[in-house]
Amino acid sequence: MAQIKLQNVEDYYEIGEVLGSGHFGQVRAVLERASGVRWAGKFLKLRRSASSRLGLERKSVEREVEILQSLQHANVMALRDVFESRAEVVLIVELISGGELFDFIAEKESLSEEEAIEFLKQILKGVGFMHTKNIAHFDLKPENIMLADKMMPHPHIKIIDFGLAHRLKQGEEYRSLSGTPQYIGKWNIPRVYCLGLSPFQGDNDEETLKNIVGMIYEFEEIYFNQTSAMAKDFIEKLLVKDPIERMTANECLVHPWIKPLTRKQAANRSRSSINMKSFKKFNAKRKWKMSFNMVWACNRLFRLQLQCKSRSQEDPELRQCESDQEDTETKPASLIRRRLSSNS
Ligand code: ATP
């Protein structure tokens, strides 16, 4: 387990602007006082008591820390330090300033399969490394694939957010329904689509889940007409129900679409391209959904606070619940989202 410091994080780091927020809290830019180096601080609110409705269990935070510590890889966000106070844990991690990969791609006019493969290879290397340590991320989705610096000629991928990650034990089955519908692999294998569209995509989340469970997918000509046969073969080899038959991340890296064996295969990749129209549409829809979820979570939190208040007036033992509300005033939506997602 990581050496968690009990000192005040602010003695060592100056806390800066908010970079993002998630289910569990905020991520802020921080400046290391001693060196002047910029990092990111992930502030995770701890659950105060077993009966509390808000915050994270300490053991979940410990798991995230332990997993991040064991994952030192160029394509995985690095953990530098951990601080704990009575109410929260702060993870000091490397600052990833290039934004989300999908936003970077969506700004482009065109993208060949060859260019997309350069990103995919880095994701596969990161995922392959995790799997050698028996760690499954369980929440691989566009929001969690970031770029170290988007101004670089060949931007470097960083996989973030190990809040749902688990170290799997031999012979132990892990079942979870947490995650995001389009990106859930029913058999616990993440599926990454760099082609702009999920072949499982339904009209709503329910239909998408039904398609995944039933393995109902198709490469609709209208969307996939610019996609090479090798790319489709690559995807099909991932959409295999039996995990033993399915390509592993390391096998993906030697599939001829990723590592062509002949000149003809290599030429096919540079001639085929990503359907940017559907990619941009997909990305805009994804962003809209993220904003919608945030508003929904805020409303839900507000309702919970009201419920809590009226119940605590009737029952003094529920005062603990009310005391949690004070903490939510500074970081509202983030706290409730993880609970909702892990219970869904
Ligand atoms: P989620 O709700 O997706 O489970 P979470 O609470 O676990 O989120 P993260 O996904 O780790 O939090 O981070 C939330 C957001 O903060 C990210 O989507 C990203 O925009 C930003 N972020 C996270 N880590 C970093 C980092 N190291 N550098 C810069 N920004 C970051």
Side-chain angles (χ1 to χ4, degrees), residues 132-287:
T132 62
K133 304 263 175 189
N134 293 324
I135 291 167
H137 186 283
F138 286 128
D139 202 17
L140 270 182
K141 57 183 178 182
E143 295 87 292
N144 292 336
I145 313 282
M146 295 189 70
L147 297 176
D149 179 356
K150 67 176 176 182
M151 303 316 272
M152 298 279 281
H154 300 287
H156 201 96
I157 294 276
K158 296 280 178 182
I159 301 173
I160 67 160
D161 192 3
F162 287 76
L164 295 180
H166 269 75
R167 192 187 290 276
L168 306 180
K169 297 197 183 88
Q170 199 73 37
E172 200 178 82
E173 200 179 340
Y174 179 82
R175 279 175 188 274
S176 166
L177 259 186
S178 48
T180 311
Q182 293 100 304
Y183 317 113
I184 288 176
K186 187 188 169 205
W187 301 278
N188 297 332
I189 294 291
R191 289 165 185 151
V192 178
Y193 298 103
C194 276
L195 299 175
L197 208 81
S198 158
F200 293 110
Q201 187 71 51
D203 289 337
N204 49 46
D205 281 353
E206 198 185 337
E207 201 177 297
T208 303
L209 277 174
K210 218 163 86 188
N211 291 345
I212 294 172
V213 172
M215 287 299 274
I216 303 162
Y217 70 89
E218 60 177 324
F219 295 112
E220 273 187 75
E221 188 54 23
I222 178 172
Y223 299 120
F224 290 91
N225 58 2
Q226 300 165 35
T227 309
S228 70
M230 269 195 314
K232 289 182 190 159
D233 181 74
F234 178 85
I235 297 171
E236 272 171 339
K237 290 199 163 105
L238 284 174
L239 303 183
V240 173
K241 199 163 179 169
D242 182 355
I244 307 289
E245 298 294 318
R246 194 187 309 134
M247 279 197 298
T248 63
N250 288 333
E251 284 163 357
C252 286
L253 283 164
V254 292
H255 182 281
W257 185 55
I258 304 280
K259 195 178 178 189
L261 299 171
T262 63
R263 280 210 192 122
K264 195 172 161 215
Q265 285 176 337
N268 272 346
R269 300 184 327 168
S270 42
R271 269 201 304 270
S272 307
S273 61
I274 306 308
N275 182 333
M276 289 309 284
K277 203 171 150 204
S278 30
F279 189 94
K280 284 174 199 265
K281 209 165 133 190
F282 169 83
N283 204 45
K285 196 169 155 192
R286 177 178 78 87
K287 290 279 165 182

Side-chain angles (χ1 to χ4, degrees), residues 36-47:
V37 174
R38 274 161 61 82
W39 302 88
K42 184 168 172 176
F43 292 75
L44 300 169
K45 203 81 161 176
L46 287 174
R47 194 175 293 180

Side-chain angles (χ1 to χ4, degrees), residues 53 67 149 165 259 291 319:
R53 299 161 67 94
I67 284 176
D149 179 356
K259 195 178 178 189
S291 320
R319 294 253 160 78

Side-chain angles (χ1 to χ4, degrees), residues 46-48 52-56 301 324-325 328 336 339:
L46 287 174
R47 194 175 293 180
R48 285 216 188 146
S52 173
R53 299 161 67 94
L54 299 169
L56 263 175
L301 180 67
D324 283 337
Q325 291 174 46
T328 66
I336 195 72
R339 268 188 66 89

